[in-house]
């Protein structure tokens, strides 16, 4: 078991604590009563969680516009042929793949809320530019720029979740903003239905869609710039006493708050840690199916012989199902304390739904409805995506290590998303048997990764428990003396993993 340089001492080494954090903490742990804790949580939710939820809703909505526009005439207008439509999703994630490490390096060093707000405004402006496209080349340019500006969103939220919230709160916190993928399906489906009804005027219905959504994003970015604090230490909207308490309430996380110093040894540890590659595996094996199913959602549903307007409305039901899956998985985790076993349970319906889609043809009304329901339940594996992100925020300590793991995870996330649409081959339409076969392989590999990660984390906790039983005081420190010293989860023998 690796140990940090100051482990073994019975006091906090403030030389290892970030300067801003050091001003708001001390060696002595402050016990916060339940009433005060709830009050602080409400203050944080109003300033941080609300921003994360609506920002992610906008990002999901903005990405989903192409899926809705695909059956509103944009493919014909821009003369898309062959796999060109698939590449419009892939190029976003290639851009994210390229900029993910630089953007995480920036997130660790700049005021995070300001950086997020600027990127929101830039992606909103880029979305508005979609209305001016004339051909495939124009679409590739704006989609690539969209990927660059949206790359900071999820990594920022993972960092913000660990900065402001207790480990026990983070699964729910991450799920609340991640379930906006479902909300955008509901709202996006309803709005797309309304825009589809626009048949006359200076703009085509899909052009009006892009301009409206982009304009809203720009205005929201301006609001975030002035509303969201960068950290508890810099939050001018809170009293000095509350800022002290907000820092203190996350002491027990032992994942730190911020540290702008790059530590090479933490980066190396991140790449050597099996956790990193398990989270990457979960990212790839969930986003590869998600990306394809998302990009081709309306095309797949249309292939079940529903009309364009019916398809737009049926997307709303899909969104509601995603929200139910994510809330249900959080509830089960809270009840059982079993993150990885819950993830496994939610992969089972994905196997069933995919097998039905591959073996049943849409020949009558009953089979049409059955195939639609099967398509919905294939997306049950989304709970694995969400819980995996919350486990990164809860299980990775040390700011450089966290930034490295988050960046690596989202590189894998981008790889999965980039490949996803490419397995939906145009010549294999409308049943896309090759794509669904690939998805079954992904689900099988996902199960193996989850089982291995559970075994690994149990084994690491057992080692640390043995240290505590051997009388090593630092392995059972209830005062969390070294919580803010920017120790990694491996360096800190008092750290225990959530599984």
């Amino acid at each position: 078991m690796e140990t940090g340089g100051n482990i073994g001492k019975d006091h906090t080494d403030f030389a290892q604590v970030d300067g801003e954090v050091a001003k708001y903490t001390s060696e002595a742990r402050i016990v916060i009563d339940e009433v005060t804790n709830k009050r602080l949580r409400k203050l944080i939710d109003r300033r941080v969680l609300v921003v994360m939820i609506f920002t992610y809703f906008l990002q999901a909505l903005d990405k989903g516009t192409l899926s809705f526009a695909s059956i509103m005439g944009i493919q014909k207008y821009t003369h898309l042929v062959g796999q060109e439509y698939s590449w419009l999703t892939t190029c976003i994630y290639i851009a994210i793949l390229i900029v993910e490490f630089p953007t995480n390096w920036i997130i660790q060093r700049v005021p995070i809320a300001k950086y997020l707000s600027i990127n929101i405004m830039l992606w909103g402006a880029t979305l508005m530019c979609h209305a001016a496209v004339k051909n495939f080349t124009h679409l590739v340019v704006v989609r690539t720029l969209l990927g660059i500006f949206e790359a900071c969103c999820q990594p920022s939220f993972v960092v913000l979740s660990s900065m402001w919230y207790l480990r026990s709160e983070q699964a729910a916190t991450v799920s609340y903003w991640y379930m906006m993928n479902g909300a955008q399906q509901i709202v996006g489906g309803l709005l797309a239905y309304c825009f589809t009804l626009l048949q006359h005027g200076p703009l085509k219905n899909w052009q009006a869609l892009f301009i409206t959504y982009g304009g809203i994003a720009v205005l929201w970015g301006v609001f975030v710039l002035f509303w969201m604090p960068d950290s508890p230490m810099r939050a001018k909207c809170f009293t000095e006493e509350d800022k002290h308490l907000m820092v203190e309430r996350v002491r027990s996380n032992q994942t730190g708050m911020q540290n702008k110093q790059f530590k090479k040894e933490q980066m190396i540890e991140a790449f050597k840690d099996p956790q990193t590659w398990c989270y990457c595996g979960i990212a790839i094996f969930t986003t590869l199916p998600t990306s394809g199913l998302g990009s081709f959602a309306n095309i797949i549903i249309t292939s079940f012989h529903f009309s364009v307007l019916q398809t737009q409305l049926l997307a709303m039901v899909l969104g509601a199902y995603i929200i139910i899956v994510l809330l249900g998985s959080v509830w089960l985790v809270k009840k059982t304390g079993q993150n990885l076993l819950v993830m496994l349970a939610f992969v089972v319906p994905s196997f069933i739904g995919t097998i039905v889609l591959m073996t049943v043809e849409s020949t009558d009304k009953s089979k049409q409805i059955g195939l639609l329901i099967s398509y919905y339940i294939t997306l049950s594996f989304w709970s694995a995506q969400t819980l995996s992100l919350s486990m990164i925020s809860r299980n990775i300590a040390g700011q450089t290590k966290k930034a490295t793991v988050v960046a690596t995870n989202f590189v894998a996330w981008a790889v999965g998303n980039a490949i996803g649409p490419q397995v939906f081959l145009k010549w294999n339409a409308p049943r896309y048997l090759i794509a669904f076969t690939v998805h079954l392989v992904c689900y099988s590999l996902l199960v193996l990764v989850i089982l291995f990660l559970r075994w690994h984390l149990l084994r690491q906790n057992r080692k640390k428990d043995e240290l505590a039983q051997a009388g090593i005081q630092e392995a059972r420190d209830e005062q969390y003396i070294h919580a803010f010293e920017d120790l990694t989860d491996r360096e800190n023998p008092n750290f225990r993993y959530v599984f």
Side-chain angles (χ1 to χ4, degrees), residues 473-491:
Q473 181 61 38
E474 292 76 20
R476 53 179 181 183
D477 175 20
E478 295 180 358
Q479 298 303 310
Y480 306 110
I481 292 173
H482 305 291
F484 296 112
E485 290 181 14
D486 199 38
L487 297 171
T488 69
D489 47 281
R490 283 189 168 190
E491 291 173 334

Side-chain angles (χ1 to χ4, degrees), residues 400-420:
T400 300
K401 182 178 182 181
K402 186 185 291 289
T404 304
V405 174
V406 169
T408 307
N409 178 78
F410 283 108
V411 165
W413 177 85
V415 168
N417 275 300
I419 297 171

Side-chain angles (χ1 to χ4, degrees), residues 13-304:
D13 182 2
F14 283 95
Q16 302 299 320
V17 181
D18 178 82
E20 289 185 356
V21 177
K23 293 177 183 178
Y24 289 91
T25 189
S26 64
E27 287 193 349
R29 181 187 182 189
I30 299 173
V31 178
I32 301 173
D33 64 81
E34 190 61 29
V35 174
T36 303
N37 192 53
K38 286 183 178 179
R39 181 180 65 81
L40 294 173
R41 173 74 186 271
K42 287 181 180 178
L43 292 174
I44 293 167
D45 285 348
R46 189 162 62 240
R47 288 281 177 168
V48 180
L49 184 60
V50 169
V51 170
M52 290 197 292
I53 287 174
F54 193 70
T55 300
Y56 198 76
F57 169 74
L58 282 181
Q59 187 194 46
L61 192 66
D62 293 350
K63 281 181 180 173
T65 49
L66 186 65
S67 179
F68 290 116
S70 68
I71 57 173
M72 293 168 71
I74 192 173
Q75 293 193 74
K76 183 178 179 181
Y77 182 83
T78 54
H79 313 293
L80 299 183
V81 295
Q83 290 293 105
E84 287 182 342
Y85 175 74
S86 298
W87 278 103
L88 297 181
T89 298
T90 297
C91 66
I92 283 184
Y93 296 106
I94 290 175
I96 292 174
L97 192 153
I98 293 170
V99 303
E100 198 59 53
F101 275 99
T103 204
N104 274 274
W105 184 88
I106 293 170
I107 287 169
Q108 189 183 355
R109 285 161 179 77
V110 302
I112 191 168
K114 306 297 184 293
Y115 182 62
L116 177 64
S117 65
I118 290 169
N119 278 279
I120 294 171
M121 288 183 272
L122 289 172
W123 93 50
T126 302
L127 197 68
M128 295 175 74
C129 291
H130 281 58
V133 298
K134 301 292 183 184
N135 53 46
F136 175 66
T137 303
H138 293 170
L139 278 167
V140 168
V141 171
V142 292
R143 299 300 285 176
T144 301
L145 288 173
L146 192 67
I148 291 171
F149 298 134
E150 289 187 347
C152 76
C153 186
Q154 287 181 310
S156 295
F157 290 176
V158 172
V159 173
L160 288 167
S161 296
S162 63
M163 179 187 291
W164 291 93
Y165 290 95
L166 294 169
R167 291 174 91 191
S168 59
E169 300 166 343
Q170 287 172 31
T173 300
V174 172
S175 294
Y176 290 150
W177 54 260
Y178 207 82
M179 74 182 184
M180 290 301 103
N181 285 295
Q184 77 87 11
Q185 286 282 353
I186 298 173
V187 178
L190 183 61
L191 291 176
Y193 174 81
C194 295
F195 278 104
T196 302
L197 298 176
L198 297 175
Q199 299 297 330
H200 307 287
L203 294 174
K204 297 186 181 299
N205 47 24
W206 58 268
Q207 290 175 321
L209 189 73
F210 282 121
I211 291 173
T212 303
Y213 289 1
I216 292 171
V218 171
L219 293 175
W220 177 251
V222 174
F223 173 78
V224 173
L225 184 65
F226 294 100
W227 181 256
M228 187 181 190
D230 294 301
S231 68
M233 297 77 70
R234 293 191 175 196
K236 296 179 181 179
C237 52
F238 302 136
T239 65
E240 286 297 303
E241 181 183 358
D242 281 349
K243 286 154 73 171
H244 277 277
L245 292 174
M246 285 174 182
V247 172
E248 189 61 36
R249 78 186 288 269
V250 297
R251 177 189 286 268
S252 61
N253 289 357
Q254 301 185 87
T255 53
M257 292 199 71
Q258 71 175 32
N259 194 297
K260 297 176 182 178
Q261 180 185 354
F262 175 79
K263 298 180 179 179
K264 182 180 178 181
E265 65 277 10
Q266 287 195 11
M267 183 186 72
I268 293 171
E269 180 182 315
F271 287 128
K272 288 182 176 180
D273 193 338
Q275 270 196 100
T276 303
W277 306 111
C278 287
Y279 296 133
C280 286
I282 293 171
I284 290 176
F285 301 138
T286 54
T287 55
L288 195 154
T290 299
S291 178
L293 291 171
S295 298
F296 284 80
N298 291 327
I299 293 173
I300 293 169
I301 294 174
T302 303
S303 74
F304 300 153

